[in-house]
Amino acid sequence: MKLGDVVLKVRSKNAGPFWVTIDIFCDRPDIYKRVRDGLSSASVAQLYRVPEQTLKRFDIEDLRVVKFSLPRPVVQGSAEDRDMHGAQYAALLEEYELG
């Protein structure tokens, strides 16, 4: 089952000109635990093609949110930037097959 079919919302945005943050919002505690336990940092790093040691992960149980921050491949607003707001990163994670 795809992550986007299980969770309430996957959102991505800039976290400054050098980082992107991806938030996974879960509407129920059981869904939060499934996402937290079923989505490894290594698989997210591989999905976005970044070294795992540069990926930051935050599991926020009270809010039922799993959050990842990763370095942008290019600086926001540069000529090579194809996603000025960092919004397209969410779509890739929504398609992730959650085991």
Side-chain angles (χ1 to χ4, degrees):
M1 183 169 282
K2 293 180 182 178
L3 181 69
D5 295 334
V6 175
V7 301
L8 185 64
K9 176 82 173 160
V10 179
R11 175 185 71 184
S12 60
K13 60 186 180 187
N14 286 328
F18 306 107
W19 288 85
V20 170
T21 294
I22 305 162
D23 302 311
I24 305 166
F25 297 94
C26 305
D27 57 348
R28 298 191 329 247
D30 60 315
I31 299 294
Y32 167 78
K33 289 176 184 170
R34 181 176 177 193
V35 171
R36 180 196 64 198
D37 298 342
L39 186 61
S40 71
S41 296
S43 62
V44 173
Q46 183 179 12
L47 182 68
Y48 290 104
R49 298 181 180 157
V50 297
E52 187 177 352
Q53 63 269 22
T54 65
L55 185 74
K56 297 179 184 181
R57 180 185 179 133
F58 306 92
D59 296 321
I60 309 167
E61 187 169 0
D62 291 345
L63 300 175
R64 295 187 298 266
V65 172
V66 177
K67 178 178 191 154
F68 293 96
S69 291
L70 56 128
R72 291 178 62 94
V74 297
V75 176
Q76 177 196 12
S78 68
E80 297 85 22
D81 188 6
R82 298 183 58 143
D83 184 6
M84 185 76 131
H85 301 286
Q88 296 177 36
Y89 287 80
L92 188 58
L93 196 55
E94 284 178 334
E95 296 296 316
Y96 180 82
E97 287 290 333
L98 192 59

